[in-house]
Amino acid sequence: MTTRPPAPSRRTLLRALTALPVTALALGELPGLLGAAEAAAPASGYATRYTIVPFLNSDDGTVNVYQSDDATDFRLLQSSAYTPPANRIRDASIFKHTDGYYYITYTTHTWQDVSTTIGFARSADRVNWTFLYDYTIPITNLSRAWAPEWFVDSDAGVNVIVSCSTTDDEWIFTPYVLTATDSALTAWTAPTALSGIGPNHIDTYIVKVGSTYHAFTKNETAKYIEYATATSLTGPYTISRTGDWAGWGSYREGPSVIQLDNGGWRIFFDGYGDGNYYYSDSHDTFATWTAPTALPTLSGTARHFTVIKETVTGGASLTKNATRSFRSVNYPTRYWEEASSLLDLPVVTGSSATADKQAATFTVVAGLADAGGYSFRDAAGNYLRHYDFRGRFDANDGTAAFAEDATFVARTGTATGSVRFESYNYPGYYLRHYNYQLRVNISDGTDLFRQDSSFVPVASWA
């Protein structure tokens, strides 16, 4: 009997999608997710792109820009991409506005100093940034304004959620919302406290699903990330989950939540107590979460960030309803080949036996669980799926679990024309070869893993 991690059912994912407004699906964007792309595998030739702009554990005077196609393996796009003309930059939040520019808002001082302003900058390409202005939060006796977070509502209104304290108790923070009153994002409404969340909460991050606002906020005393809901952006919110309700542990801050291609949700948070940056996934709209996993390339380097998701051109391209063979990028004489229902990576050449060539030939079809993804069928009509983290071929039993096990999302590989195949129901896990066997393993962020999981689709051997 094998033990498998919990997987979302197809019904669960569909329910999550049906909870969204019709306009979200029609436009391919999700309100409350900073203009995020629709939750679906990207079409051929397109790619999902996640962007973050964290300040550094070693330097809060500048930020790096990282990007990822799977929300797990983040790669450096630009180091020291933006340094403000004065003061510091911490807790940077990013979104893409309707004018085509990317905007960040950020904390302008270190934690020790009085900080009554938040900063703004923008960029056309995420690499070159221009300082716009520092904005003084108009709250009487303000001591600190920290961790501003963008929130775009379903009416396209642009808001900033910011945590503020006053001089009578500089370490007791309350979340407030500011709403832009012009498209240039230079004028703002008076700050309104988020009713129901109350004092002693910081780093409040909000997403909207259907008509419900979901808030993730750090209790500054308990050091846990709590969860609240409301039917209005300003509340009243009801905090329904406290303590270690999700299994994330304490001394966690800076939550940021994004929807993945398979419809599940991923939260990122700064594990400042142990030096790691974590993510955790939910497939039942925030009720339960997977065990937190440290991000492989960012832990120990990046601090408090938010994530935006886009669909962009230039992604992997693979023809469907066609036969192909798949060559390893770093072992170019080796190909996928089925052996006793398992997927291996032996040497295949022109002089190989006909049976070997046939076993190294597969039909590429639309993903069983998501037509934007891919499934692979052998000559007998069986499908490649993962089971106990091993690539194997089985007959389609018609279940949602099988469809998800047999669906893979194409990500760009390490060599020209190569593709990496990410598991649909275990985001961040890839088909990779190990000891010349094809397995589904979680990315460790190394170049070697990326090479081991990159394959070139070529003319079929049979």
Side-chain angles (χ1 to χ4, degrees):
M1 187 174 187
T2 56
T3 301
R4 305 178 61 193
S9 69
R10 194 176 189 183
R11 180 178 297 176
T12 298
L13 300 181
L14 289 174
R15 278 202 299 263
L17 287 176
T18 56
L20 294 168
V22 173
T23 52
L25 300 178
L27 298 176
E29 296 191 353
L30 304 179
L33 292 180
L34 310 184
E38 180 183 338
S44 180
Y46 288 82
T48 302
R49 184 173 73 192
Y50 302 87
T51 302
I52 62 173
V53 187
F55 77 96
L56 308 181
N57 191 48
S58 60
D59 185 359
D60 65 358
T62 189
V63 288
N64 290 349
V65 179
Y66 297 83
Q67 66 181 18
S68 171
D69 58 4
D70 61 8
T72 303
D73 184 6
F74 284 88
R75 296 282 162 141
L76 181 65
L77 177 64
Q78 181 65 48
S79 63
S80 300
Y82 172 66
T83 301
N87 304 317
R88 318 308 292 168
I89 176 168
R90 301 170 65 91
D91 317 325
S93 179
I94 181 173
F95 94 113
K96 188 176 184 180
H97 196 21
T98 53
D99 61 7
Y101 283 94
Y102 298 88
Y103 286 78
I104 55 173
T105 182
Y106 53 91
T107 304
T108 57
H109 291 76
T110 66
W111 67 271
Q112 300 101 322
D113 298 332
V114 170
S115 179
T116 60
T117 62
I118 57 175
F120 292 87
R122 75 175 187 178
S123 170
D125 58 8
R126 302 174 301 140
V127 172
N128 301 287
W129 292 85
T130 300
F131 171 74
L132 295 177
Y133 62 95
D134 285 341
Y135 179 73
T136 301
I137 305 297
I139 293 177
T140 302
N141 298 322
L142 180 66
S143 174
R144 286 168 172 79
W146 282 4
E149 309 279 2
W150 294 109
F151 173 75
V152 181
D153 211 335
S154 50
D155 62 359
V158 178
N159 305 274
V160 170
I161 312 297
V162 60
S163 302
C164 297
S165 69
T166 52
T167 54
D168 57 332
D169 198 333
E170 60 184 350
W171 302 117
I172 299 297
F173 289 85
T174 298
Y176 290 81
V177 60
L178 315 173
T179 302
T181 58
D182 67 341
S183 60
L185 309 181
T186 58
W188 302 89
T189 61
T192 300
L194 298 186
S195 173
I197 294 180
N200 207 36
H201 288 87
I202 194 172
D203 297 352
T204 301
Y205 190 91
I206 295 174
V207 296
K208 187 179 183 183
V209 181
S211 60
T212 302
Y213 295 84
H214 302 259
F216 297 82
T217 183
K218 178 193 177 188
N219 182 310
E220 189 57 33
T221 297
K223 311 300 183 185
Y224 290 111
I225 295 172
E226 299 181 341
Y227 170 72
T229 55
T231 57
S232 168
L233 175 58
T234 56
Y237 285 85
T238 299
I239 299 177
S240 58
R241 298 290 186 270
T242 60
D244 196 18
W245 65 278
W248 298 327
S250 61
Y251 290 87
R252 308 297 192 232
E253 65 183 16
S256 177
V257 181
I258 201 77
Q259 194 166 33
L260 301 174
D261 285 343
N262 70 357
W265 296 87
R266 175 163 292 183
I267 186 171
F268 299 87
F269 52 85
D270 188 345
Y272 67 100
D274 57 28
N276 287 316
Y277 219 103
Y278 291 98
Y279 69 88
S280 174
D281 295 346
S282 175
H283 302 290
D284 51 15
T285 316
F286 316 136
T288 61
W289 296 83
T290 60
T293 302
L295 284 167
T297 55
L298 298 178
S299 290
T301 299
R303 296 296 310 276
H304 190 150
F305 59 75
T306 60
V307 186
I308 59 166
K309 175 186 177 185
E310 303 171 86
T311 298
V312 297
T313 58
S317 182
L318 183 60
T319 302
K320 292 174 180 174
N321 301 314
T323 57
R324 291 289 183 270
S325 294
F326 294 88
R327 187 181 71 226
S328 167
V329 161
N330 52 353
Y331 290 88
T333 62
R334 293 181 177 270
Y335 294 77
W336 290 10
E337 183 178 323
E338 182 182 357
S340 300
S341 297
L342 299 176
L343 188 60
D344 293 335
L345 195 75
V347 173
V348 181
T349 69
S351 59
S352 294
T354 299
D356 288 324
K357 292 180 180 179
Q358 291 174 338
T361 297
F362 307 94
T363 301
V364 181
V365 298
L368 296 181
D370 185 327
Y374 296 87
S375 293
F376 305 92
R377 199 169 57 220
D378 67 10
N382 295 321
Y383 286 86
L384 172 65
R385 53 89 64 94
H386 63 82
Y387 188 83
D388 202 20
F389 303 106
R390 185 73 161 90
R392 57 176 292 146
F393 287 84
D394 286 313
N396 183 0
D397 64 9
T399 64
F402 184 94
E404 292 161 1
D405 285 354
T407 299
F408 298 87
V409 180
R411 309 296 189 192
T412 303
T414 58
T416 301
S418 67
V419 183
R420 304 173 70 212
F421 295 104
E422 182 186 18
S423 168
Y424 179 77
N425 53 351
Y426 299 110
Y429 285 70
Y430 285 83
L431 272 174
R432 59 86 62 96
H433 65 79
Y434 183 82
N435 199 25
Y436 306 128
Q437 297 177 342
L438 270 293
R439 308 186 61 84
V440 173
N441 291 147
I442 191 169
S443 173
D444 63 8
T446 64
D447 290 337
L448 177 60
F449 184 96
R450 291 175 63 86
Q451 292 165 5
D452 285 350
S453 58
S454 294
F455 302 93
V456 180
V458 297
S460 58
W461 278 110

